[in-house]
Amino acid sequence: MRWLSENWRGRRGLLHQRLATELQDAIAKGQISLGSELPTVRALTIAASVSKVTAAQALDQLIESGWAQRRDRAPALARTPGAARQQLAPVNMNDAKRGTRDFQAARVAAPVEEYLEALSRAQERLAPELLGAGRISGGHPELRRMIAKRFTDSGLPTTADEVIVTNGAMGAFASIIDAHPGPVLVEDPTYHVALGILAAKRRRTIGWARTPTWDATNLSTLAQRTKPSVAYLVPDFHNPSGALASSDERIGVGAVLHPLPTLKAVIIDETFFDLDLREPGENQAAPIQHFAALHPNARNIITISGLSKIAWAGLRIGWARVPDPQQRAQVGALADITPPPILDQLIAIELWPELDRIIRDRLVRLRVQRASLLDHFEMHALSATIPAGGLSAWVDLGAPVAVQLRDRLERKGWFISTGATYSSAQPYEQFIRLPFTHESETIAQLFSALGPDLAQLRFAANRR
Ligand SMILES: Cc1ncc(COP(=O)(O)O)c(C=O)c1O
């Protein structure tokens, strides 16, 4: 049992608790794959040199805490807590052929049980709302208060007045863009839906080819030359690169951007803020500081986010924190054209108290699945920086073969997205983006399909 460390007895607690924790850690780190058989009492007794009673108690504890699933007359299976309640990997419901083999979007299925309970409570609250017009300017006051409190509790003092409820984070983005004509500065690469919105609106896009860090030196020259009216940044587990900006980098970038006279809005997309996969104590795992909190006097920083990645994208709940009252009125009027339905807002209100628990459950599973993905990277000599959070990894194939690889995989019934999708300047032909929202087994199947093609394509490209 490779995962059994030599010093597991040095942990705290009773002997069976120490052994259970050792097993739990091995599952969480992906050393024991999800769904695989755990050792039997007999095997564990021998491997860990403990009594049968201790081994049985350790396995019982694992089952009770949700890390293992008991079976009749067969070894228990490794799982993560909440796995039975929560299906994290989304199934493509529009296209049965894609099913769970769709690695293009980094999306999550809804927390079904909590969602349905929230829905039934929301339905009970709907009757009085039906007597109203069904449209509440700026969003339901209770939801605005909850959003403001969440910002405040995480270090960004916010009042309910400053918050606008929007149709997803991208609803907020589109309204802010519409409120401010002129060129838009984006990171290159960046979130493709934001790029799609800008393209549809025929907005001039300026790609900031930032380094993996948010080094502001070239940003300053670029911004002064191109005079953007809006900037769009994703500093928390950036999509697609997964990078996390440090507080110093946030301070540096903000110091360059917010004094620019042409820049009316700096949109900070915090959609991944809560998907922090760093373990406590892991390299600089200090809590993330909101970009806006580091620039308390900058009135043009608008923070957007939503429930899509932590709960469900089908619940179209997003928000914008707009400190400037005039700008808020302008953005709010545009956001009110396509607000999230009142029932969705009530569901969000009812789901809100469960959010932190839902997120905690999801983080456990995401860590496991991220570990599976990284194991495959090693096996296939792929280089990717381990994303410290978010839902996907940005993978360097080592040769500009992303499009060919995608096409070959598509013929086998697997779907991935290539670097070009996220590009506003450079082509990123060497890159693909792989989400780790899928179960470890599905990830393994993808790599079985991908491995031979990747090797062939790389070989051919390197001979050229
Ligand atoms: C950077 C970023 N922002 C926002 C979203 C989600 O947008 P919405 O809340 O409109 O569903 C995503 C989803 O992938 C994203 O990657």
Side-chain angles (χ1 to χ4, degrees):
M1 289 175 200
R2 273 188 303 128
W3 49 267
L4 193 65
S5 64
E6 272 171 24
N7 48 2
W8 69 268
R9 283 170 191 265
R11 292 177 177 277
R12 282 213 223 123
L14 299 172
L15 195 60
H16 76 271
Q17 289 167 338
R18 287 180 253 168
L19 186 54
T21 313
E22 182 76 6
L23 275 153
Q24 178 183 318
D25 273 7
I27 300 170
K29 288 182 187 144
Q31 293 162 332
I32 300 178
S33 322
L34 290 184
S36 67
E37 289 190 347
L38 289 172
T40 57
V41 171
R42 211 176 117 81
L44 199 54
T45 302
I46 298 166
S49 309
V50 292
S51 70
K52 262 191 188 165
V53 175
T54 303
Q57 281 175 329
L59 287 169
D60 282 349
Q61 181 176 320
L62 224 56
I63 289 163
E64 271 161 37
S65 56
W67 285 88
Q69 184 186 341
R70 194 189 297 283
R71 291 191 302 168
D72 272 351
R73 283 188 287 279
L77 298 181
R79 50 174 261 186
T80 49
R85 259 184 305 120
Q86 290 203 19
Q87 157 90 24
L88 190 64
V91 181
N92 190 325
M93 303 302 281
N94 306 325
D95 185 343
K97 188 165 69 98
R98 290 187 177 223
T100 55
R101 298 169 137 220
D102 192 342
F103 278 70
Q104 276 184 342
R107 295 208 176 114
V108 290
V112 176
E113 201 173 285
E114 289 88 345
Y115 191 95
L116 292 176
E117 282 167 10
L119 171 65
S120 90
R121 291 193 298 271
Q123 215 171 337
E124 283 166 24
R125 295 180 52 154
L126 187 62
E129 300 289 346
L130 294 175
L131 302 175
R135 292 184 80 127
I136 309 173
S137 180
H140 196 293
E142 197 174 333
L143 186 54
R144 293 169 83 180
R145 278 198 297 277
M146 286 169 149
I147 295 166
K149 182 167 185 312
R150 202 167 169 84
F151 271 129
T152 306
D153 290 349
S154 56
L156 180 58
T158 303
T159 62
D161 284 351
E162 289 176 306
V163 173
I164 302 167
V165 177
T166 60
N167 196 312
M170 284 300 104
F173 176 79
S175 304
I176 301 163
I177 292 294
D178 282 344
H180 302 291
V184 181
L185 184 135
V186 298
E187 292 155 280
D188 182 50
T190 195
Y191 178 39
H192 63 295
V193 172
L195 287 176
I197 292 172
L198 293 172
K201 294 180 184 296
R202 300 190 193 287
R203 296 293 287 268
R204 185 173 153 226
T205 304
I206 302 151
W208 171 35
R210 63 163 174 76
T211 54
T213 62
W214 272 256
D215 181 349
T217 334
N218 65 352
L219 174 63
S220 176
T221 327
L222 180 69
Q224 276 167 21
R225 184 164 54 78
T226 53
K227 302 188 175 37
S229 64
V230 182
Y232 170 69
L233 304 175
V234 187
D236 315 324
F237 317 117
H238 173 261
N239 186 4
S241 72
L244 172 67
S246 69
S247 295
D248 283 347
E249 286 159 356
R250 289 164 197 245
I251 292 170
V253 167
V256 165
L257 289 181
H258 74 76
L260 288 172
T262 57
L263 200 61
K264 302 292 179 243
V266 179
I267 306 175
I268 300 297
D269 185 338
E270 292 193 341
T271 297
F272 296 102
F273 184 87
D274 285 309
L275 293 177
D276 189 342
L277 294 170
R278 296 169 303 165
E279 305 272 10
E282 200 179 309
N283 45 357
Q284 303 149 12
I288 304 171
Q289 286 181 288
H290 289 281
F291 193 98
L294 294 164
H295 303 279
N297 299 321
R299 308 289 286 169
N300 58 355
I301 297 180
I302 302 183
T303 308
I304 66 171
S305 188
L307 292 184
S308 285
K309 301 289 148 170
I310 50 179
W312 192 41
L315 185 65
R316 296 305 302 150
I317 297 294
W319 52 84
R321 175 189 182 273
V322 192
D324 181 76
Q326 236 181 329
Q327 194 172 34
R328 189 159 65 239
Q330 218 182 347
V331 173
L334 291 161
D336 276 348
I337 298 171
T338 51
I342 201 76
L343 182 60
D344 280 16
Q345 297 191 48
L346 293 175
I347 296 171
I349 291 169
E350 291 301 325
L351 203 55
W352 208 264
E354 308 286 331
L355 272 186
D356 284 328
R357 198 181 45 73
I358 293 170
I359 294 168
R360 236 180 296 125
D361 275 5
R362 297 191 150 197
L363 292 182
V364 171
R365 305 188 63 194
L366 286 169
R367 283 194 190 103
V368 172
Q369 290 165 194
R370 181 185 59 169
S372 311
L373 195 61
L374 294 172
D375 275 352
H376 292 288
F377 290 168
E378 259 173 49
M379 278 187 276
H380 295 274
L382 287 167
S383 62
T385 324
I386 300 173
L391 297 176
S392 57
W394 182 235
V395 187
D396 187 342
L397 300 174
V401 296
V403 170
Q404 290 108 301
L405 183 65
R406 179 203 57 198
D407 291 349
R408 285 191 181 200
L409 281 174
E410 212 159 301
R411 287 197 285 277
K412 295 181 181 173
W414 290 92
F415 303 87
I416 58 167
S417 65
T418 60
T421 312
Y422 308 90
S423 152
S424 63
Q426 302 162 67
Y428 298 105
E429 290 163 335
Q430 299 212 171
F431 287 87
I432 58 173
R433 190 196 70 168
L434 287 181
F436 41 87
T437 45
H438 291 266
E439 303 286 346
S440 301
E441 290 95 62
T442 319
I443 293 174
Q445 287 163 5
L446 169 74
F447 274 90
S448 308
L450 171 158
D453 285 324
L454 177 62
Q456 260 180 20
L457 289 169
R458 260 201 306 223
F459 182 70
N462 291 336
R463 273 196 354 180
R464 258 181 245 137

